[in-house]
Amino acid sequence: MKNKRDLLLQTATQLFSQGGYNAVGIDRIIAEAGVAKMTMYKHFPSKNALILEMLNARDESFMQSLTQYIDQQSSFFEKMKALFSWHHEWFNDKDFHGCLFINASAEFHQPDNDIYKRSSQHKQRLIHYIENLLTEIYAHQQAKKLAIQIEILLDGAIIAAHVIGHLNSAMEAWDIAQCLIDFKQEN
C-alpha cells in the first residue's frame, strides 16, 4: 500500500491531468484519495504546494523514462528518433491528457508564479537534455539552437495530439526534425 503522501500525489496527478488545475478542487482530491483533510494539509500546506510537488515528481518520472528509453539506442540518429518515438508512445497511451507543464503554464501564466517557473524549468531541463544529445555531432552553439527548435517541434506535437487528437504528430515532428538535422549537418 502506498503511503498517503504518494497517494495524494498520484490522485492529484490523475485529476489535474484530466480536469485542469483550477477546475479540480482540494476536496475532490481528498475524497478520491480517501484521506482526511488533515492528512492532506499535513503533507501539503496548500493546493499550490501540492501542484508544485506533483510537477516535481512528474519532471523526475518524465526525464527518467525518456532517458532510459533513449539510452537503449547506440547511434546518434537512433537516439534522436527515440526522442520522438517516446513521445509517440506517450501520445498513444490511454492516459494521455496533454502535458502537465504546458497546462500549468497556461493556467498559472504570470511569470513570477512558482508553478509557472516550475513549468519553465521542466522545459529548460528538456532543452538541455536534447542539447547534450546533439553535442555528439554539433558544436555547442549549434546544438543549443537546434535543441530549442526540436523542443518547439515536440511541444507542437504535444498540442496537436492533445487538442486535435493527431496521435501521429510526434512522428511527423520527427520528419521535420530530420530535415533540420540533415540541414545542420550540411552547414
Side-chain angles (χ1 to χ4, degrees), residues 18-98:
Q18 293 172 356
Y21 297 97
N22 291 319
V24 173
I26 288 294
D27 289 339
R28 182 170 175 203
I29 294 167
I30 291 168
E32 294 208 21
V35 300
K37 191 174 272 197
M38 185 184 300
T39 300
M40 162 65 194
Y41 289 109
K42 171 185 163 192
H43 294 290
F44 307 102
S46 67
K47 182 178 177 182
N48 282 4
L50 173 62
I51 292 170
L52 283 169
E53 193 57 35
M54 185 269 313
L55 289 174
N56 287 337
R58 175 62 182 153
D59 177 59
E60 286 306 313
S61 67
F62 178 98
M63 292 304 297
Q64 181 179 28
S65 176
L66 180 65
T67 301
Q68 287 175 349
Y69 190 89
I70 291 173
D71 284 350
Q72 295 175 29
Q73 308 304 319
S74 55
S75 76
F76 169 78
F77 186 83
E78 291 169 339
K79 287 177 183 181
M80 293 308 300
K81 184 175 182 182
L83 174 66
F84 291 85
S85 298
W86 183 91
H87 281 80
H88 177 75
E89 289 183 17
W90 175 37
F91 300 168
N92 286 277
D93 186 279
K94 66 178 177 51
D95 292 325
F96 174 74
H97 300 286

Side-chain angles (χ1 to χ4, degrees), residues 55 100-101 104-105 115-123:
L55 289 174
L100 286 165
F101 298 95
S105 67
I115 294 169
Y116 180 90
K117 288 177 187 176
R118 184 63 187 95
S119 298
S120 178
Q121 289 167 354
H122 168 76
K123 294 298 181 180

Side-chain angles (χ1 to χ4, degrees), residues 90-147:
W90 175 37
F91 300 168
N92 286 277
D93 186 279
K94 66 178 177 51
D95 292 325
F96 174 74
H97 300 286
C99 174
L100 286 165
F101 298 95
I102 291 172
N103 297 345
S105 67
E107 289 192 48
F108 301 92
H109 53 84
Q110 303 82 9
D112 62 338
N113 182 288
D114 288 340
I115 294 169
Y116 180 90
K117 288 177 187 176
R118 184 63 187 95
S119 298
S120 178
Q121 289 167 354
H122 168 76
K123 294 298 181 180
Q124 291 297 327
R125 183 178 181 194
L126 184 54
I127 289 168
H128 184 71
Y129 175 74
I130 296 167
E131 182 182 339
N132 285 338
L133 291 174
L134 292 166
T135 57
E136 183 175 324
I137 65 168
Y138 292 101
H140 176 71
Q141 282 306 108
Q142 278 185 305
K144 185 175 187 137
K145 183 176 181 179
L146 188 53

